[in-house]
Amino acid sequence: MGTVDKSFEAGLHTEQLRGRTQQTFFSATEEENFTYPYNAFEVDRAKKGEFDAQDLETSEINLKIRSLMEEGCGHIVVKNPRAKHSIGVGILNRLTLDFEGSLGYFGCGLIDGPNIHISGRVGWSFGENMMAGTVVIEKNAGSTFGAAIRGGDLVCKGDVGSRTGIDMKGGTIIVGGRQARFLDS
Amino acid sequence: MCGIAGIIRRGDPGNIGEEMTSMLRSLKHRGPDSTGFAVYGLPEKDQYVMRFKVAEQEDIGKGFDIHEQIKDRRATVNSRLKELGVEILSEEEATDYAFRYTLRYDGDLRRMADYIEDIDDAEIMSLGEGLELIKDLGDADVVSEQYGLGNFNGSHAIGHTRMATESDVDIRSAHPYWAYPFNDVSVVHNGQLTNYWKWRRTMEHRGHRFMSHCDSELIAVYLADKMDNNIGLEEAMTDSLDELDGVFTYVVATSDKLGMAKDVMAAKPMVIYESDDFIALASEEVSIRKIFDHDIDTFDPYEGEVRVWEL
């Protein structure tokens, strides 16, 4: 028996590579590619929920988004985020999320799936480690925009800061305005 | 990690004490060790404001006979000022150990500063026509209330909340730093300088004085040295990007200018809001938004960027 046959017998070739966003292991027939494997919420995009974040703390805002998703809201509008840090992080769900205002540092990190629109500006390290989804930012972004993203589309209509897309493994970053010098060269 | 902030009100002086307090309050999470303000009031003709301390806050708690010593030291300050022919117009006690004097003097400022700082534990925080530099342990609310900053009218200000990484938690290591002996120049800094000792030795050879082991003091001394050689603020700040090593973002204020510089690695944050009559800059956008009700546009400066605004 040849070495190759032995390896088949030992079951070393049964592993299936899978992944929805990063590379080409995409197969339209696989159910898994169209469902969210995590503990995702069943949401209806036509059902809209909104709240004012003016007097809420960061964790209260994030929990509020989560509880609206639990109620089945597929379209959430957050008013007056007022540049607070770490808002909209860890959303592993299909969701339309609108921020009416600006976000601070580390906004919308670790997301997988949502379609986000931000009418203001974002601080540094926005969308860090994003896996999938789309984000459109109307104004400027800070440094390390889209750090370590692995998939999805990140669009900033204004200027971005230094080190945009540092450690980026996949996905797309589109910038409408100016960018830091090292991207010029 | 420290928090820094600056504001300019062009042509419309206002309550910068209150505004800077609320900006620094929202930066408290970047450093709760000490808080400092450099506020620029409306200067009166032929008159200097001197802020100085004669003891550290911790001395008050444990120093033997400290209250008597403070009295002695203050009396020595007064007698030395008289000796130099300085006219003391007013004396205020901000705390037990920190004082605010207004003076009239037309002699050599460096000589006067040296003579005062020769007294045990005496340190001049600031000396200038408009500048008043206030720094102490505690957060923005504590310091602002202690020194009555809630109602301070002026044209521009810079501020700092400190998380001590390189030196002790005491007043002498707190920011802002006065660029001794140049009146009305102050500096706040967020970062670490890695060639501190090299530059400190060079500066000491040239006769500059260091009061602390805080690396940020070097920036103030460095800029003072440049100004000594008649180099303009913007040029001096541009030089500092090449000559100082490490990661840093700093803000400098003079009687009629405010500037910021960001190192070539851009590892320390800064967010700027700019309009015709109001400029605000801070380590985080939350801080700027504290003083605006309406929506504003802000941006980040790039690596190796120097910006100077005139009043």
Side-chain angles (χ1 to χ4, degrees):
Chain A
M1 196 192 277
T3 325
V4 175
D5 293 339
K6 264 189 190 168
S7 71
F8 273 102
E9 207 167 69
L12 295 182
H13 296 269
T14 56
E15 188 189 6
Q16 297 272 319
L17 292 174
R18 54 186 72 199
R20 287 177 297 115
T21 53
Q22 191 182 359
Q23 283 177 38
T24 55
F25 318 126
F26 186 90
S27 160
T29 58
E30 271 189 70
E31 169 61 15
E32 202 192 320
N33 289 320
F34 296 96
T35 55
Y36 284 81
Y38 320 100
N39 299 321
F41 304 106
E42 266 314 312
V43 295
D44 175 9
R45 294 221 191 228
K47 190 176 172 192
K48 193 172 170 185
E50 62 175 52
F51 65 97
D52 192 333
Q54 176 84 35
D55 301 318
L56 299 182
E57 295 289 322
T58 295
S59 55
E60 291 172 326
I61 298 171
N62 286 330
L63 287 172
K64 184 78 184 165
I65 293 174
R66 201 177 166 84
S67 75
L68 283 173
M69 285 196 293
E70 263 176 74
E71 289 167 20
C73 290
H75 184 183
I76 297 174
V77 181
V78 182
K79 293 186 164 155
N80 297 316
R82 300 213 36 111
K84 288 184 192 109
H85 302 319
S86 309
I87 294 177
V89 293
I91 297 172
L92 315 172
N93 222 91
R94 66 166 73 81
L95 176 71
T96 305
L97 182 58
D98 292 339
F99 287 102
E100 295 184 356
S102 295
L103 302 192
Y105 294 169
F106 303 102
C108 302
L110 310 165
I111 53 170
D112 193 352
N115 304 107
I116 300 176
H117 180 264
I118 294 155
S119 66
R121 172 193 185 277
V122 297
W124 80 357
S125 276
F126 178 88
E128 198 169 2
N129 209 50
M130 173 181 180
M131 296 299 285
T134 61
V135 182
V136 177
I137 296 150
E138 293 295 332
K139 290 178 181 169
N140 301 336
S143 303
T144 57
F145 179 61
I149 71 167
R150 297 187 154 247
D153 297 330
L154 209 43
V155 181
C156 175
K157 295 193 182 175
D159 302 344
V160 293
S162 311
R163 285 167 282 143
T164 294
I166 189 171
D167 215 0
M168 179 180 175
K169 299 289 201 306
T172 312
I173 298 177
I174 300 168
V175 177
R178 296 181 307 143
Q179 80 281 302
R181 256 176 275 150
F182 77 93
L183 286 178
D184 288 337
S185 57
Chain B
M1 196 163 91
C2 296
I4 55 179
I7 40 172
I8 308 175
R9 301 181 70 105
R10 276 199 184 125
D12 173 32
N15 191 352
I16 50 168
E18 176 60 33
E19 282 165 349
M20 189 44 80
T21 305
S22 65
M23 284 180 87
L24 293 182
R25 186 184 298 131
S26 64
L27 289 177
K28 186 181 169 183
H29 59 271
R30 295 188 67 88
D33 292 336
S34 62
T35 307
F37 300 81
V39 283
Y40 289 77
L42 310 168
E44 295 196 23
K45 212 168 176 291
D46 299 329
Q47 186 174 320
Y48 287 114
V49 180
M50 179 168 84
R51 289 257 184 188
F52 67 101
K53 67 164 180 63
V54 292
E56 284 285 340
Q57 198 188 77
E58 64 170 15
D59 295 340
I60 302 293
K62 64 181 188 199
F64 173 72
D65 215 12
I66 187 73
H67 292 281
E68 286 305 313
Q69 286 181 33
I70 287 176
K71 266 186 204 150
D72 287 349
R73 287 173 194 164
R74 192 174 163 196
T76 319
V77 171
N78 288 2
S79 71
R80 289 195 178 186
L81 284 173
K82 283 208 180 72
E83 210 178 299
L84 289 173
V86 181
E87 187 186 343
I88 302 173
L89 301 171
S90 71
E91 297 179 27
E92 278 172 52
E93 294 170 17
T95 62
D96 288 344
Y97 46 88
F99 309 101
R100 176 187 188 273
Y101 279 17
T102 52
L103 313 168
R104 190 168 292 146
Y105 182 54
D106 50 9
D108 182 4
L109 280 183
R110 187 192 288 261
R111 190 176 148 72
M112 176 185 130
D114 285 344
Y115 199 35
I116 300 298
E117 290 189 339
D118 181 49
I119 303 165
D120 280 349
D121 267 336
E123 181 184 344
I124 299 180
M125 312 279 203
S126 69
L127 180 57
E129 284 158 34
L131 169 66
E132 295 195 31
L133 208 151
I134 289 133
K135 52 187 181 181
D136 212 321
L137 311 189
D139 64 23
D141 287 316
V142 171
V143 177
S144 174
E145 200 184 315
Q146 200 174 14
Y147 289 82
L149 264 181
N151 197 5
F152 187 98
N153 277 324
S155 51
H156 57 307
I158 60 177
H160 187 267
T161 62
R162 177 157 186 258
M163 178 177 280
T165 53
E166 316 290 303
S167 50
D168 296 340
V169 177
D170 49 23
I171 300 174
R172 74 169 70 85
S173 310
H175 301 215
Y177 278 104
W178 170 47
Y180 157 96
F182 291 91
N183 58 0
D184 293 322
V185 183
S186 60
V187 178
V188 290
H189 162 233
N190 170 23
Q192 285 82 31
L193 299 180
T194 46
N195 57 354
Y196 169 75
W197 286 105
K198 186 186 141 201
W199 270 105
R200 177 166 173 156
R201 228 164 278 137
T202 312
M203 288 299 162
E204 282 175 340
H205 281 306
R206 291 185 199 164
H208 294 283
R209 73 89 156 97
F210 285 79
M211 296 302 283
S212 74
H213 285 97
C214 182
D215 57 354
S216 315
E217 188 180 12
L218 177 66
I219 299 176
V221 175
Y222 174 91
L223 292 174
D225 180 65
K226 291 276 178 189
M227 285 189 273
D228 225 358
N229 294 313
N230 292 322
I231 295 171
L233 181 68
E234 191 159 1
E235 199 186 332
M237 291 171 76
T238 309
D239 287 350
S240 76
L241 297 178
D242 287 330
E243 293 182 344
L244 300 180
D245 208 7
V247 287
F248 55 85
T249 297
Y250 67 82
V251 177
V252 189
T254 69
S255 60
D256 60 346
K257 287 193 184 92
L258 197 143
M260 60 80 46
K262 194 170 179 178
D263 75 297
V264 289
M265 285 185 275
K268 295 293 175 185
M270 175 63 66
V271 179
I272 300 173
Y273 164 75
E274 207 176 349
S275 73
D276 287 341
D277 49 5
F278 204 105
I279 290 147
L281 47 160
S283 295
E284 295 181 12
E285 192 171 336
V286 272
S287 172
I288 298 178
R289 290 197 180 258
K290 283 283 182 245
I291 51 174
F292 290 99
D293 293 333
H294 56 279
D295 203 34
I296 51 168
D297 279 354
T298 56
F299 63 95
D300 277 30
Y302 289 112
E303 70 276 9
E305 194 159 326
V306 171
R307 277 169 185 263
V308 174
W309 295 272
E310 296 210 22
L311 235 58

